[in-house]
Amino acid sequence: MDRYGWLRSLVPQSNSIPRTLLVVLLLYSFTSQFLPIEPYLVPYLTSVKNFTNYQVANSIFPASVYAQLIFTLIMAPACYYLSHKLVITLGAFGLFLTYLMAWYGQSLIAMQIMQVIYGFGTSARLVFSSYIFLLVAEEEYQTMTSLTQTVSLLSFVLASELGQFLALKEAAYEIFFIISLTALGVCCTSTFLLPKDHYLSSLPSTTILWPPSEGWNAKLKETWNGQSLKILSLWWAVAFAGISLVQNYGTNLFDAIDPQSKFNGHILAVSEAAGSLGSYYAIYIDKFADRSRQLIYLLGSAFMGILCISMGVYANIWGAYVFYVTICAIYRTFACLVSVQCGRLLQNGQFILLFSINNFAGLLIETLLQAAVELSGLSIFLQFIAFSGLFFVATAIFICFSYIDNGRETSHMYVISEPEPE
């Protein structure tokens, strides 16, 4: 009798990769996000390192924003000229170094360098998301994407709740750092167990190496070849910017509605838990999304926009909590579906280029809108009404293209099939 059969049954079977590699992928997904110190980095910098809130908000954290923009854009060439595995490994060590510097660094310049390294580490995470597509067969894209994202989000939830528990017990910040660095140490180790790029023998040669002679413009045109992929990529960027702004300013809205509320941290954890459920159930609604074509994304985007407006208008703390959790759950579900649909529509196998440019576009839109909102001096309530515009733009994208793209590709917009013979 197999005493541990029930434990192994929790890890799903895959026809594309061995079970041991699947465990490594899930281990990386979990440990890269298990960082109980992250929600408490601001109070640590102000109370222990004696930086002011102004310095943290205006001199330290902006460094990671601009660094992430730059590094996200160069992730694709980094993977082509180095390798996906090497970039993932460097990113994991970058995150490890980030929190090590946050713990031991003292000067303002050290904290700014720490944030630049953090920008690199977070950008390298998207390489892992695209790398998965290189490991599995097309029919398993959705399963692997959903599983890894579900594990990542659950890890974030557990780390947040652990951090909350340690904070209530008034534990020293050293404990937060030790746990976070231990998890990242395991994460760094797990990257050495990933297969090297040249071992991915089932891929076409152009997937791994990008001949410089082809040029950037030719490769970009080849990658976004097809109306459907362009539509989904636009939604990807716009919706990414929208959810990022909602999450960045969520606690600000909660504090404005009820400064005495003590549930903000728990709500953030609940929202990620809801997102993890959405990511997991994307496996089961994948075929329905195919059949519905653009309708499911159109309705979902519009609903997120309505919820975002409701957060700005309906100044009730529990209403804001429910709306926030719902938006996060819907977005995580659709993000899983859209990234997989884009991967299936991609004809040249340049997954990292797809992920890099789409995420860069989303970050750029987020940064520009955030700057515009802050310069306008809008109240936090009006800011959320402004944020809703991104979700309505995402809705309009599908409405407009449903009229423009009436050819053969529209009839197969979200159903990937072999081309019919001439």
Side-chain angles (χ1 to χ4, degrees), residues 307-343:
L307 290 173
C308 197
I309 289 179
S310 301
M311 291 180 71
V313 173
Y314 185 57
N316 175 277
I317 190 62
W318 288 105
Y321 284 159
V322 172
F323 298 148
Y324 181 87
V325 170
T326 305
I327 289 176
C328 292
I330 294 174
Y331 173 77
R332 293 296 185 184
T333 305
F334 285 178
C336 265
L337 292 170
V338 167
S339 62
V340 170
Q341 294 289 359
C342 286

Side-chain angles (χ1 to χ4, degrees), residues 151-164:
V151 169
S152 294
L153 292 170
L154 285 177
S155 175
F156 179 89
V157 172
L158 293 175
S160 298
E161 290 302 311
L162 175 60
Q164 182 74 57

